[in-house]
Amino acid sequence: MKIISSKVELFEFLQSLKDEDRKIGFIPTMGAIHFGHLGLVKRASRENNITVCSIFVNPTQFGNKDELKKYPRNLDRDAELLSKANCDILFTPLQEDLYDSENIEAELNSIELNKIDETLEGAIKPKHFKGVAFILEKFFRIIEPDSAYFGNKDFQQLQIIRYYVKENNIPVKIIGCDTVREQNGLAISSRNEKLSLEEKNTAAIIYSSLVECKSISKNLSVSDTKSFAINRINQLSELNCEYFEIVDSESFKPLKNWTDSNTIIGCIAVQFKGIRLIDNITL
Ligand code: AMP
């Protein structure tokens, strides 16, 4: 695996491969690589000739500067895991090489995401999704991937990227990949590292509630299905359900009736031991 930190070097290297008509698959990450990321890398490497993964802890998507500072960073370990998963190129840019931080406010404000960025995760973390779209556009322009791979775990992010790429005619195929889970069903996340085995088992109630919710939803109204999941989570005193919303999977507008949409998703965020865990299920 080649490690490149200069955008010009990466661009020139990839252009030479494109001349040979190679397909490029791209996986953007913030590092702290785990099995969830590796699932995307493995799929990209099956479907392309060249797999590029980026590690960049993106300041524009953190509202809280303390969280940005504390985000786990361990490049040597990450590089080893990615290399074993058949990643060909690891791109580790410095912020200064990607954009000039003094002039980004106007650029961020001009990003339009059809209000999908204002609900659920976006309501809790304002500007987060604009920051994601901002940085991804930079990556897409440098790497010009044929396909880019994202996890269904962050389903709102995935749908926002699909919208943004389409609206801005960015020529990349966006591929959503199944959420990789612990054996107990808990969606794997870099934040899980802060939980003990016992705590992870407690947190597994998040996904089991979603699965139960799916099966009982056939007999309940939207509002009763929501209450069911929220009560189920909150019955454990250490867990606090921040939201559980049943929404249309494209507009992310909350539904009143099951007949309001053909593609319905239940999205949840739970506070547990000082961290936020998110997950979702197709209903
Ligand atoms: P992050 O490093 O957290 O920005 O995540 C990078 C990519 O990995 C995003 O597309 C995430 O949705 C995806 N991802 C994170 N966790 C998982 C998981 N458990 N299963 C599948 N994809 C994941």
Side-chain angles (χ1 to χ4, degrees):
M1 185 178 72
K2 220 171 148 63
I3 302 181
I4 300 180
S5 56
S6 145
K7 78 173 174 198
V8 173
E9 188 185 337
L10 179 66
F11 180 79
E12 284 171 0
F13 182 66
L14 291 175
Q15 287 302 313
S16 69
L17 295 171
K18 276 183 175 277
D19 294 344
E20 297 168 25
D21 208 20
R22 307 275 189 98
K23 290 255 168 295
I24 296 175
F26 172 48
I27 308 100
T29 82
M30 297 207 297
I33 297 298
H34 52 63
F35 283 114
H37 300 118
L38 296 176
L40 309 188
V41 175
K42 284 179 187 156
R43 177 151 175 205
S45 104
R46 279 200 305 274
E47 296 179 358
N48 299 274
N49 312 101
I50 301 290
T51 300
V52 181
C53 184
S54 63
I55 292 183
F56 180 64
V57 185
N58 171 27
T60 62
Q61 71 189 67
F62 284 86
N64 179 333
K65 295 298 162 213
D66 205 37
E67 264 185 38
L68 169 65
K69 241 194 198 155
K70 282 198 211 142
Y71 201 86
R73 290 161 172 91
N74 189 341
L75 189 58
D76 290 345
R77 176 189 166 275
D78 287 353
E80 198 180 327
L81 290 170
L82 290 169
S83 168
K84 281 188 185 147
N86 287 337
C87 176
D88 298 300
I89 300 172
L90 170 57
F91 182 41
T92 55
L94 289 175
Q95 180 255 303
E96 307 86 89
D97 195 27
L98 289 178
Y99 61 88
D100 175 357
S101 65
E102 295 210 339
N103 302 313
I104 57 167
E105 262 326 288
E107 203 179 327
L108 279 169
N109 288 335
S110 70
I111 293 174
E112 189 281 310
L113 299 172
N114 204 24
K115 296 194 186 298
I116 319 170
D117 60 322
E118 292 174 11
T119 179
L120 306 181
E121 287 303 289
I124 287 158
K125 299 185 277 180
K127 296 199 182 162
H128 167 77
F129 288 118
K130 288 193 174 177
V132 172
F134 169 85
I135 207 67
L136 282 177
E137 177 154 12
K138 305 264 177 276
F139 283 130
F140 289 153
R141 304 273 179 219
I142 299 165
I143 296 166
E144 298 181 346
D146 295 276
S147 304
Y149 295 78
F150 295 88
N152 284 342
K153 180 176 89 67
D154 301 288
F155 194 71
Q156 190 176 7
Q157 166 174 280
L158 170 65
Q159 296 299 67
I160 284 177
I161 296 161
R162 285 197 165 119
Y163 172 83
Y164 187 71
V165 158
K166 193 165 165 224
E167 283 303 298
N168 293 283
N169 298 314
I170 302 174
V172 54
K173 196 160 140 200
I174 301 299
I175 299 187
C177 304
D178 288 346
T179 301
V180 181
R181 300 182 177 281
E182 308 262 0
Q183 262 186 353
N184 63 19
L186 177 66
I188 295 182
S189 154
S190 45
R191 292 174 175 154
N192 296 5
E193 276 179 28
K194 295 193 181 135
L195 301 176
S196 67
L197 192 61
E198 198 186 337
E199 288 165 344
K200 282 187 194 172
N201 284 332
T202 304
I205 195 176
I206 300 170
Y207 185 59
S208 65
S209 304
L210 292 180
V211 173
E212 268 184 89
C213 202
K214 184 176 172 90
S215 72
I216 63 156
S217 63
K218 293 175 185 71
N219 306 314
L220 292 182
S221 66
V222 169
S223 134
D224 287 348
T225 305
K226 271 166 53 175
S227 305
F228 170 85
I230 294 168
N231 292 337
R232 193 91 173 70
I233 303 280
N234 287 344
Q235 82 192 14
L236 293 185
S237 58
E238 317 108 285
L239 270 70
N240 178 25
C241 182
E242 226 170 52
Y243 65 74
F244 174 60
E245 275 297 347
I246 294 176
V247 300
D248 172 76
S249 74
E250 273 187 29
S251 68
F252 274 78
K253 291 207 173 103
L255 306 183
K256 287 207 171 77
N257 302 298
W258 295 115
T259 48
D260 292 348
S261 164
N262 292 324
T263 54
I264 302 175
I265 185 150
C267 297
I268 197 162
V270 175
Q271 286 277 0
F272 178 49
K273 299 278 162 194
I275 57 174
R276 296 183 72 243
L277 299 169
I278 64 167
D279 206 342
N280 60 73
I281 195 160
T282 304
L283 293 170

